[in-house]
Amino acid sequence: CSEDAPATDPETGAKTNAGSCNLHPQDKHCPARRLAKRVLQVAFGVGSNATQAGPTLASARLSNVSGSLTVRLRLDNAEGLLLQPAKVCEKIKPYPLPGQSCCEVPGLLTLNATMSDGGRAWINGTVAVDGSDLIGTWKPPFIDQSGLPLSGTSIVIVHSVEYACAAVPKCAAVNSAGMPLPPLQ
């Protein structure tokens, strides 16, 4: 999805649509190609699942080492896994900082957890690829989804993990066929 450019109201001169998200993005080629590949494979048996489907979750493992939490998502059909920025990621809020890629912007992997102060929050993590695994890491200071620091100094209980569940993800994990890992919780 791409962000609409602000429009000017002819009567008041006020900006409208600022920051809204256009449900009709300009880049229709990528999703159309992915859909066509899946239709050919599912409906007509053309191609293999490995070349026509995106990665799928096989298992998840949580570890806690010295207050740093790591979630390793083991993926099937993830040969050549890499993080690929959305074509319009620079236009989607929050914007990447100078020198930061769209895949470094928080929000691709979030952790729903109870903190040491008793508060419960969705916490942004960092994302990395290791072979066919997607790895999320959370370490202090913990930052919530709106970018604010949390008062809890450690995570007490993990309730769930979400991948690409933002309204408009800025980045996706894709396999060598260019097929993305769908959002998951």
Side-chain angles (χ1 to χ4, degrees), residues 100-177:
Q100 183 182 41
S101 82
C102 291
C103 293
E104 294 170 327
V105 173
L108 186 59
L109 267 177
T110 55
L111 185 74
N112 183 358
T114 299
M115 305 297 295
S116 57
D117 64 357
R120 187 167 169 170
W122 283 98
I123 307 166
N124 283 323
T126 60
V127 183
V129 170
D130 180 20
S132 293
D133 294 354
L134 194 62
I135 300 170
T137 305
W138 293 263
K139 56 186 172 186
F142 298 106
I143 306 296
D144 72 8
Q145 282 186 305
S146 60
L148 300 173
L150 295 166
S151 59
T153 57
S154 63
I155 296 172
V156 179
I157 301 170
V158 174
H159 303 285
S160 63
V161 175
E162 286 187 346
Y163 161 78
C165 289
V168 184
K170 294 161 203 60
C171 184
V174 298
N175 64 12
S176 59

Side-chain angles (χ1 to χ4, degrees), residues 2-16:
S2 60
E3 185 178 297
D4 288 330
T8 304
D9 184 315
E11 291 182 24
T12 65
K15 297 287 185 188
T16 59

